[in-house]
């Protein structure tokens, strides 16, 4: 059990680091969108990403519904970051 829990802990740490890197990238996108006066949300891209992640989830043996919910949570946070970027002074 201890080795399984250690593996889970390592995977959790990897997920956190991956999410942090993803948000660094999306914050840069948010800054660009703010400078270009583009809307914070991109429903077309979101739809494509949801379909792509659902397919990846199915291929990986993960519940596609769960993958979609997880991505929705991430997208909500990204949009929050993009809205915040619009409020910051632009360089």
């Amino acid at each position: 059990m201890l080795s399984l829990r250690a593996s889970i802990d390592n995977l959790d740490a990897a997920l956190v680091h991956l999410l942090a890197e993803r948000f660094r990238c999306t914050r840069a996108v948010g800054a660009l969108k703010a400078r270009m006066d583009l809307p914070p949300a991109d429903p077309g891209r979101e739809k494509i990403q949801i379909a792509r992640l659902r397919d990846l989830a199915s291929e990986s043996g993960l519940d596609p519904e769960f993958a979609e919910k997880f991505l929705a949570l991430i997208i909500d946070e990204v949009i929050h970051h993009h809205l915040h970027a619009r409020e910051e002074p632009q360089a």
Side-chain angles (χ1 to χ4, degrees):
M1 173 130 39
L2 290 177
S3 68
L4 287 172
R5 286 183 173 167
S7 293
I8 291 168
D9 292 349
N10 288 336
L11 289 165
D12 287 345
L15 286 170
V16 168
H17 291 292
L18 286 171
L19 283 171
E21 182 61 25
R22 188 184 195 288
F23 286 130
R24 277 190 281 281
C25 292
T26 58
R27 279 190 178 100
V29 169
L32 284 171
K33 284 182 172 185
R35 282 198 299 275
M36 299 173 71
D37 198 30
L38 295 172
D42 185 343
R45 172 146 169 86
E46 292 167 22
K47 183 177 179 182
I48 291 167
Q49 288 298 93
I50 289 168
R52 187 177 76 82
L53 252 62
R54 287 183 67 90
D55 288 344
L56 287 170
S58 291
E59 292 168 10
S60 299
L62 183 67
D63 179 3
E65 292 293 321
F66 170 78
E68 185 172 345
K69 289 176 191 176
F70 184 69
L71 183 61
L73 178 66
I74 292 170
I75 289 171
D76 286 347
E77 186 67 14
V78 167
I79 291 170
H80 172 76
H81 293 171
H82 289 187
L83 289 168
H84 182 70
R86 296 177 75 79
E87 297 168 0
E88 294 177 352
Q90 301 302 311

